[in-house]
């Protein structure tokens, strides 16, 4: 019997960035890598939007990020002249969010896609400091939701969480499905 090949990519920064370039870059370019994102966040005047589903955000998110619903509720004055940066797992969904915002326009100065939380997990800022990954309670995250097994190139500092095949398919086809499911109990 032949051994089965693991669908898991190498858990390295290079593998994570390659996933982001494969999935996110076609959606919007340029994409911010983790170091550029951290530098931009340190500069202020940034609204960071985590476009992943509610179940993904509950596992871990970048401290200070807002959900798409929270972003939509912000008054124009809170966005005036700001840089909006969006992220998801590897840049695909956040790239679509950026494209939609660029098409719609708004009071913000610019909208940028990032490589995502999977590549970000390899940066020291993901583990400590003002932009560390936190869980739903705001405590330092020990897990990271990578969406599905093929996207698990996250840092070994975090335990991966993934959707079941059905949940991944539903999140792909019907992005609000998991949010709706979580809010209905």
């Amino acid at each position: 019997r032949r051994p089965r090949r693991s669908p898991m990519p190498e858990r390295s920064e290079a593998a994570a960035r390659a996933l982001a370039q494969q999935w996110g870059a076609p959606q919007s370019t340029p994409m911010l890598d983790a170091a550029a994102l951290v530098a931009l966040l340190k500069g202020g005047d940034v609204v960071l939007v985590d476009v992943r589903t509610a179940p993904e955000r509950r596992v871990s998110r970048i401290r200070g990020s807002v959900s798409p619903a929270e972003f939509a509720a912000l008054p124009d004055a809170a966005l005036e002249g700001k840089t909006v940066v969006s992220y998801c797992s590897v840049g695909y969904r956040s790239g679509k969010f950026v494209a939609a915002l660029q098409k719609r326009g708004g009071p913000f100065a610019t909208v940028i896609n990032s490589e995502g939380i999977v590549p970000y997990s390899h940066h020291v800022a993901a583990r400590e400091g003002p932009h560390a990954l936190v869980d739903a309670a705001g405590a330092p995250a020990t897990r990271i939701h990578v969406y599905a097994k093929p996207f698990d190139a996250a840092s070994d500092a975090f335990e991966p969480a993934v959707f079941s095949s059905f949940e991944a398919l539903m999140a792909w086809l019907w992005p609000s499905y998991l949010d709706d499911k979580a809010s209905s109990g």
Side-chain angles (χ1 to χ4, degrees), residues 72-122:
L74 291 173
D76 282 354
L79 298 172
E80 188 73 40
K82 303 273 181 154
T83 297
V84 176
V85 178
S86 69
Y87 73 92
C88 61
S89 297
V90 293
Y92 181 82
R93 293 172 286 170
S94 53
K96 289 183 170 286
F97 181 84
V98 165
L101 278 184
Q102 288 171 333
K103 186 176 181 180
R104 185 187 87 199
F108 36 82
T110 190
V111 185
I112 307 170
N113 191 14
S114 77
E115 287 183 337
I117 199 168
V118 172
Y120 185 80
S121 71
H122 291 275

Side-chain angles (χ1 to χ4, degrees), residues 23-48:
W23 289 93
Q27 301 307 313
S28 66
T29 53
M31 290 175 50
L32 289 179
D33 65 21
L37 175 58
V38 169
L40 190 62
L41 290 170
K42 284 181 181 176
D45 288 339
V46 175
V47 177
L48 186 59

